Amino acid sequence: MIDAIFQEFIKKAPEMKESWEVVQLFEEERQKFQEELQAYEEEIENARVALRDLRAQIVQTKDQIKELQTLQKSKEEEIQEIRQELLSHKIKRDLWQLEKDKPELQDIDEPLPQALEVVEIYLKDHSIARARPAKRYFADNLYRQYRVLLRENHVLKDRVFGLDLENSTLKIELRDRQTQDKLQVKDPEDPQ
């Protein structure tokens, strides 16, 4: 810029006769410089205002992203709760259906305690003697209790089977959830 002013001065120097022409030349260049400086300052100020607006938009967008992420997380938790509730209802329905379809416990040939027919007795001389015991060691009410307990045992086994089934499905869900959490920890940018 300064070189351009001096080159202009050198070109016009032979034509200039008065000192005010030199001053006028430098004043014109100073005026041009001031105008360019003013234009640059306006551009800089406009750029600062635009940058300030963009930064405000970025902050606002980041806040919106955070809000959307928290909303997404809460919705995912709600979906997980609904899935668990749905699975629980499905398991209850299946258990109810199994109990409904299961034939009523009837007098099926179930193993009952039998009276001993032969008893081996060890004698003092280390020999074995066989004897016939009484036909029944137990009263009829004991047999009835045994039947009731046997039925309850079957019902409890069915219930334990249902609970084992539910437990295994919950273990699978827990494993899947842990895997999903590990994947989210590895890649937090992935919105899925």
Side-chain angles (χ1 to χ4, degrees), residues 113-156:
Q114 299 290 325
L116 295 175
E117 294 179 10
V118 177
V119 177
E120 294 180 353
I121 302 171
Y122 293 95
L123 301 175
K124 288 183 182 178
D125 62 352
H126 302 292
S127 63
I128 299 173
R130 294 180 178 240
R132 286 189 166 279
K135 288 289 182 185
R136 292 186 175 249
Y137 282 118
F138 311 110
D140 285 338
N141 64 353
L142 189 59
Y143 282 105
R144 280 189 236 116
Q145 271 185 328
Y146 177 76
R147 280 190 180 274
V148 169
L149 289 175
L150 191 62
R151 286 181 187 153
E152 288 177 1
N153 188 18
H154 284 297
V155 170
L156 289 175

Side-chain angles (χ1 to χ4, degrees), residues 1-13 25-26 29:
M1 175 100 181
I2 295 175
D3 291 338
I5 295 171
F6 282 121
Q7 287 178 1
E8 184 76 24
F9 174 69
I10 292 170
K11 278 188 203 173
K12 293 185 179 180
L25 174 71
F26 281 107
E29 290 300 322

Side-chain angles (χ1 to χ4, degrees), residues 74-84:
S74 67
K75 293 298 180 186
E76 285 175 354
E77 289 173 358
E78 286 179 22
I79 288 172
Q80 189 65 25
E81 289 174 7
I82 290 171
R83 283 182 182 164
Q84 288 178 350

Side-chain angles (χ1 to χ4, degrees), residues 171-188:
K171 282 181 182 178
I172 290 170
E173 284 185 12
L174 179 63
R175 183 195 67 209
D176 292 345
R177 183 64 181 170
Q178 287 173 343
T179 305
Q180 185 180 17
D181 289 344
K182 286 179 184 177
L183 289 175
Q184 285 180 349
V185 166
K186 285 182 182 177
D187 192 11

